[in-house]
Amino acid sequence: MKKGKPIRYQLCLMLVMLTAQAHAGLRQYSATIDKSSWSLLQNSPLLCELSHPIPHFGEAYFRSVAGKELNMQFELNMLRLPDHYALAEVLSVPPVWRPGEQAKAISSMKMLKQFDGDLGKAESWIMLTELEQGYSPTFYFSDWYSPYDKVSVSLNPVHFIEAMDQFTQCVSALLPYTFDDIAFTVLTYESGGDELTKASKKRLEQIASYLKHDQSIESIDIQAYSDSFGGRWMNEQLSIKRAEAIKAKLVSFGLEENRIRTEGLGEKRHVASNESSLGRAKNRRVVIQMEKP
């Protein structure tokens, strides 16, 4: 019996050492319960951004931008960017108060050299849903700077619900169009004056809604045209009046006057025949072209 004790002791010691080595080989990054925070960094009709800092690792973001279709993107912003291509397995890990429940596979995330990791719409929504239910989306991958270590990075669901409610409200209020949708706009007029058609008035309202939230427009070119009914000089003056009226509208939306250039071209550059009322309606137009830096 006495001879067996050292053997059992050595086996126990080896087991402890192996367990310690296994845990030492897995570096875990996650905000503790008292440090877990979620905040809405961007809250506008153009961009919604939900942020979650991960101590000593980086920050996680969920983003949705204005557009015709509902969109969502997740980005894992890392302090130490990948040194080579790899894959991270993304699992939804159950909370400790659900013992015995298995983790659920969400996706695989590509880790590209010197780039942050990201996931698309479907995976991002799944992660948000799992967080709402108290689960922790967790990323597992091999450390690209050490051949001995594995890394796990977890999103902590503590304090998530309130921020998620704000994020959801922001997403529901996003504009259903982008800068690219309005950067080149053609407005048309009723015959004989500077009264816009109903469709063009609605289009101008869309531009106004966008410009209230984006002051980064570098320049705007406004070119106004007329049909061929009436004298050329009269039509040229009418087109100048139309261009200046649109400029005044844009200035009222908050744009600086010196960023806007206008030109009245009258009967020049017709886009349709003036022999029909439909063709003349197309020629009575203002073309607005906006540019960003």
mmCIF file of all heavy atoms in Angstrom, residues 67 70 92 127 257 292:
data_model
loop_
_atom_site.group_PDB
_atom_site.id
_atom_site.type_symbol
_atom_site.label_atom_id
_atom_site.label_comp_id
_atom_site.label_asym_id
_atom_site.label_seq_id
_atom_site.Cartn_x
_atom_site.Cartn_y
_atom_site.Cartn_z
ATOM 1 N N GLY A 67 -31.096 52.048 -46.823
ATOM 2 C CA GLY A 67 -31.116 51.347 -48.103
ATOM 3 C C GLY A 67 -32.492 50.807 -48.422
ATOM 4 O O GLY A 67 -33.399 50.811 -47.582
ATOM 5 N N LEU A 70 -33.638 45.768 -45.996
ATOM 6 C CA LEU A 70 -33.116 45.634 -44.645
ATOM 7 C C LEU A 70 -31.775 44.913 -44.688
ATOM 8 O O LEU A 70 -31.633 43.887 -45.346
ATOM 9 C CB LEU A 70 -34.103 44.840 -43.774
ATOM 10 C CG LEU A 70 -33.691 44.605 -42.317
ATOM 11 C CD1 LEU A 70 -33.577 45.920 -41.569
ATOM 12 C CD2 LEU A 70 -34.710 43.695 -41.631
ATOM 13 N N SER A 92 -23.015 29.540 -30.426
ATOM 14 C CA SER A 92 -23.851 30.202 -29.422
ATOM 15 C C SER A 92 -23.769 29.369 -28.152
ATOM 16 O O SER A 92 -24.300 28.255 -28.088
ATOM 17 C CB SER A 92 -25.298 30.305 -29.903
ATOM 18 O OG SER A 92 -26.101 30.895 -28.901
ATOM 19 N N MET A 127 -27.067 35.991 -34.300
ATOM 20 C CA MET A 127 -26.309 36.368 -33.113
ATOM 21 C C MET A 127 -27.106 37.332 -32.225
ATOM 22 O O MET A 127 -27.114 37.194 -30.997
ATOM 23 C CB MET A 127 -24.980 36.997 -33.530
ATOM 24 C CG MET A 127 -24.003 35.995 -34.156
ATOM 25 S SD MET A 127 -22.576 36.799 -34.908
ATOM 26 C CE MET A 127 -21.828 37.562 -33.479
ATOM 27 N N GLU A 257 -24.284 77.546 -49.747
ATOM 28 C CA GLU A 257 -24.563 78.070 -51.086
ATOM 29 C C GLU A 257 -23.373 77.937 -52.025
ATOM 30 O O GLU A 257 -23.538 77.671 -53.226
ATOM 31 C CB GLU A 257 -25.000 79.541 -50.967
ATOM 32 C CG GLU A 257 -25.529 80.121 -52.244
ATOM 33 C CD GLU A 257 -26.131 81.499 -52.044
ATOM 34 O OE1 GLU A 257 -26.233 81.926 -50.870
ATOM 35 O OE2 GLU A 257 -26.496 82.143 -53.039
ATOM 36 N N LYS A 292 -19.582 63.442 -53.302
ATOM 37 C CA LYS A 292 -18.936 63.414 -51.981
ATOM 38 C C LYS A 292 -17.421 63.423 -52.151
ATOM 39 O O LYS A 292 -16.913 63.113 -53.220
ATOM 40 C CB LYS A 292 -19.362 62.164 -51.219
ATOM 41 C CG LYS A 292 -20.759 62.235 -50.621
ATOM 42 C CD LYS A 292 -20.995 61.040 -49.710
ATOM 43 C CE LYS A 292 -22.276 61.181 -48.937
ATOM 44 N NZ LYS A 292 -22.428 60.113 -47.934
#
